[in-house]
Amino acid sequence: MSGCMSSFGGTSPVELSKGLRQLKSEHPPLLAQLEGLFNLTKQIQEDSGIENIFEELIIKVHEFKAALDPHSEREEGVLFPMMGVYIGTTSGPIAVMEYEHDQAKAKIHEFLEKAGSSKTDLEKKNLSDLVKNAYFILTEHFAKEENVLFPMAERMLSEDEKEELSCRIQEIN
């Protein structure tokens, strides 16, 4: 089955270089925030008096977006183009990763754009589904990066490229 993502990543564990370790280490705090968002969406779906919970969700989504944006920029602006030199960016793993980034960001953006003007509990429940969908996309996405994409990058990039990756992602706050 040559050509599939697993043929690039292999099955043996790989020790990640500094830059890839940093990207991977950013996932657990983001996942913790996502879990909190998901729990709030579940409360919104179950409760009738959801006003306070919905307001908390808006605040927490803003905080999550502020943490996610620089992480995404490190991947989209540095890692993906570096890997794209070897495997392309218009199809395959990089295209899939960018698509998932776009989908999650679009759902978060739509939620934040509409959340301030929603009136009824039903509207709030429907809007919270956008956050829930972003949760599902990103939890699966992070797993793909950690299990396939990062090991692939570790095997693919030269030592000089790994050093460049580490330096360049440090510049993004």
Side-chain angles (χ1 to χ4, degrees), residues 17-27 71 74 166 169-170 172:
S17 58
K18 183 180 176 187
L20 293 168
R21 273 195 321 268
Q22 178 184 333
L23 292 173
K24 183 177 179 178
S25 74
E26 293 171 2
H27 286 174
H71 174 76
R74 289 181 194 101
S166 180
I169 63 173
Q170 297 301 315
I172 300 170

mmCIF file of all heavy atoms in Angstrom, residues 17-27 71 74 166 169-170 172:
data_model
loop_
_atom_site.group_PDB
_atom_site.id
_atom_site.type_symbol
_atom_site.label_atom_id
_atom_site.label_comp_id
_atom_site.label_asym_id
_atom_site.label_seq_id
_atom_site.Cartn_x
_atom_site.Cartn_y
_atom_site.Cartn_z
ATOM 1 N N SER A 17 12.338 15.768 17.019
ATOM 2 C CA SER A 17 13.289 16.859 17.201
ATOM 3 C C SER A 17 12.626 18.000 17.982
ATOM 4 O O SER A 17 11.415 17.994 18.224
ATOM 5 C CB SER A 17 13.769 17.352 15.834
ATOM 6 O OG SER A 17 12.655 17.762 15.055
ATOM 7 N N LYS A 18 13.420 18.975 18.376
ATOM 8 C CA LYS A 18 12.967 20.045 19.271
ATOM 9 C C LYS A 18 11.710 20.756 18.763
ATOM 10 O O LYS A 18 10.747 20.952 19.507
ATOM 11 C CB LYS A 18 14.104 21.055 19.476
ATOM 12 C CG LYS A 18 13.768 22.162 20.435
ATOM 13 C CD LYS A 18 14.934 23.123 20.604
ATOM 14 C CE LYS A 18 14.540 24.286 21.496
ATOM 15 N NZ LYS A 18 15.596 25.308 21.529
ATOM 16 N N GLY A 19 11.694 21.179 17.505
ATOM 17 C CA GLY A 19 10.554 21.906 16.970
ATOM 18 C C GLY A 19 9.286 21.069 16.927
ATOM 19 O O GLY A 19 8.197 21.543 17.283
ATOM 20 N N LEU A 20 9.415 19.815 16.516
ATOM 21 C CA LEU A 20 8.256 18.919 16.469
ATOM 22 C C LEU A 20 7.778 18.581 17.870
ATOM 23 O O LEU A 20 6.572 18.484 18.113
ATOM 24 C CB LEU A 20 8.596 17.656 15.672
ATOM 25 C CG LEU A 20 8.833 17.888 14.176
ATOM 26 C CD1 LEU A 20 9.450 16.651 13.535
ATOM 27 C CD2 LEU A 20 7.549 18.287 13.478
ATOM 28 N N ARG A 21 8.721 18.434 18.809
ATOM 29 C CA ARG A 21 8.325 18.208 20.213
ATOM 30 C C ARG A 21 7.523 19.397 20.735
ATOM 31 O O ARG A 21 6.546 19.225 21.460
ATOM 32 C CB ARG A 21 9.557 17.995 21.103
ATOM 33 C CG ARG A 21 10.039 16.582 21.172
ATOM 34 C CD ARG A 21 11.013 16.328 22.322
ATOM 35 N NE ARG A 21 11.964 17.391 22.585
ATOM 36 C CZ ARG A 21 13.180 17.475 22.055
ATOM 37 N NH1 ARG A 21 13.605 16.561 21.210
ATOM 38 N NH2 ARG A 21 13.978 18.476 22.369
ATOM 39 N N GLN A 22 7.948 20.615 20.361
ATOM 40 C CA GLN A 22 7.214 21.796 20.810
ATOM 41 C C GLN A 22 5.785 21.777 20.272
ATOM 42 O O GLN A 22 4.832 22.010 21.019
ATOM 43 C CB GLN A 22 7.895 23.090 20.392
ATOM 44 C CG GLN A 22 7.072 24.304 20.824
ATOM 45 C CD GLN A 22 7.626 25.624 20.358
ATOM 46 O OE1 GLN A 22 8.818 25.756 20.148
ATOM 47 N NE2 GLN A 22 6.754 26.608 20.202
ATOM 48 N N LEU A 23 5.644 21.512 18.969
ATOM 49 C CA LEU A 23 4.297 21.480 18.382
ATOM 50 C C LEU A 23 3.439 20.432 19.079
ATOM 51 O O LEU A 23 2.280 20.685 19.406
ATOM 52 C CB LEU A 23 4.373 21.214 16.877
ATOM 53 C CG LEU A 23 4.994 22.332 16.034
ATOM 54 C CD1 LEU A 23 5.175 21.875 14.594
ATOM 55 C CD2 LEU A 23 4.155 23.603 16.108
ATOM 56 N N LYS A 24 4.014 19.262 19.324
ATOM 57 C CA LYS A 24 3.263 18.201 19.999
ATOM 58 C C LYS A 24 2.914 18.604 21.430
ATOM 59 O O LYS A 24 1.817 18.333 21.909
ATOM 60 C CB LYS A 24 4.071 16.899 19.980
ATOM 61 C CG LYS A 24 3.339 15.727 20.591
ATOM 62 C CD LYS A 24 4.155 14.443 20.485
ATOM 63 C CE LYS A 24 3.401 13.294 21.137
ATOM 64 N NZ LYS A 24 4.132 12.033 21.008
ATOM 65 N N SER A 25 3.842 19.288 22.109
ATOM 66 C CA SER A 25 3.608 19.681 23.507
ATOM 67 C C SER A 25 2.524 20.747 23.634
ATOM 68 O O SER A 25 1.980 20.953 24.729
ATOM 69 C CB SER A 25 4.905 20.195 24.148
ATOM 70 O OG SER A 25 5.227 21.497 23.670
ATOM 71 N N GLU A 26 2.205 21.416 22.549
ATOM 72 C CA GLU A 26 1.135 22.414 22.571
ATOM 73 C C GLU A 26 -0.246 21.760 22.521
ATOM 74 O O GLU A 26 -1.248 22.400 22.851
ATOM 75 C CB GLU A 26 1.303 23.394 21.402
ATOM 76 C CG GLU A 26 2.550 24.263 21.549
ATOM 77 C CD GLU A 26 2.874 25.092 20.310
ATOM 78 O OE1 GLU A 26 2.107 25.037 19.315
ATOM 79 O OE2 GLU A 26 3.894 25.794 20.336
ATOM 80 N N HIS A 27 -0.313 20.506 22.131
ATOM 81 C CA HIS A 27 -1.604 19.820 22.019
ATOM 82 C C HIS A 27 -2.297 19.573 23.360
ATOM 83 O O HIS A 27 -3.499 19.845 23.465
ATOM 84 C CB HIS A 27 -1.458 18.513 21.248
ATOM 85 C CG HIS A 27 -1.274 18.700 19.780
ATOM 86 N ND1 HIS A 27 -1.010 17.651 18.925
ATOM 87 C CD2 HIS A 27 -1.308 19.813 18.988
ATOM 88 C CE1 HIS A 27 -0.893 18.106 17.684
ATOM 89 N NE2 HIS A 27 -1.069 19.411 17.697
ATOM 90 N N HIS A 71 -0.551 28.413 17.408
ATOM 91 C CA HIS A 71 -0.202 27.012 17.134
ATOM 92 C C HIS A 71 -0.464 26.686 15.657
ATOM 93 O O HIS A 71 0.381 26.109 14.977
ATOM 94 C CB HIS A 71 -1.011 26.077 18.039
ATOM 95 C CG HIS A 71 -0.821 24.626 17.726
ATOM 96 N ND1 HIS A 71 0.318 23.927 18.082
ATOM 97 C CD2 HIS A 71 -1.613 23.746 17.067
ATOM 98 C CE1 HIS A 71 0.206 22.681 17.658
ATOM 99 N NE2 HIS A 71 -0.955 22.546 17.037
ATOM 100 N N ARG A 74 2.111 28.251 13.425
ATOM 101 C CA ARG A 74 3.387 27.519 13.423
ATOM 102 C C ARG A 74 3.327 26.340 12.450
ATOM 103 O O ARG A 74 4.293 26.044 11.756
ATOM 104 C CB ARG A 74 3.716 27.029 14.831
ATOM 105 C CG ARG A 74 4.111 28.136 15.773
ATOM 106 C CD ARG A 74 4.464 27.590 17.176
ATOM 107 N NE ARG A 74 4.509 28.698 18.100
ATOM 108 C CZ ARG A 74 3.529 29.013 18.950
ATOM 109 N NH1 ARG A 74 2.449 28.271 19.029
ATOM 110 N NH2 ARG A 74 3.646 30.060 19.737
ATOM 111 N N SER A 166 12.612 24.629 14.193
ATOM 112 C CA SER A 166 12.625 25.016 15.602
ATOM 113 C C SER A 166 12.805 26.524 15.751
ATOM 114 O O SER A 166 12.076 27.168 16.520
ATOM 115 C CB SER A 166 13.749 24.271 16.330
ATOM 116 O OG SER A 166 13.775 24.640 17.688
ATOM 117 N N ILE A 169 9.567 28.513 14.385
ATOM 118 C CA ILE A 169 8.327 28.455 15.172
ATOM 119 C C ILE A 169 8.493 29.240 16.473
ATOM 120 O O ILE A 169 7.494 29.674 17.039
ATOM 121 C CB ILE A 169 7.835 27.009 15.427
ATOM 122 C CG1 ILE A 169 8.812 26.201 16.258
ATOM 123 C CG2 ILE A 169 7.494 26.319 14.113
ATOM 124 C CD1 ILE A 169 8.291 24.837 16.660
ATOM 125 N N GLN A 170 9.727 29.434 16.937
ATOM 126 C CA GLN A 170 9.958 30.245 18.134
ATOM 127 C C GLN A 170 9.582 31.702 17.895
ATOM 128 O O GLN A 170 9.269 32.419 18.838
ATOM 129 C CB GLN A 170 11.427 30.173 18.567
ATOM 130 C CG GLN A 170 11.898 28.808 18.962
ATOM 131 C CD GLN A 170 11.116 28.204 20.103
ATOM 132 O OE1 GLN A 170 10.847 28.875 21.089
ATOM 133 N NE2 GLN A 170 10.735 26.946 19.973
ATOM 134 N N ILE A 172 7.017 32.839 16.353
ATOM 135 C CA ILE A 172 5.557 33.043 16.291
ATOM 136 C C ILE A 172 4.993 32.996 17.698
ATOM 137 O O ILE A 172 5.106 31.997 18.381
ATOM 138 C CB ILE A 172 4.899 31.970 15.392
ATOM 139 C CG1 ILE A 172 5.450 32.058 13.980
ATOM 140 C CG2 ILE A 172 3.375 32.130 15.411
ATOM 141 C CD1 ILE A 172 5.055 30.912 13.072
#
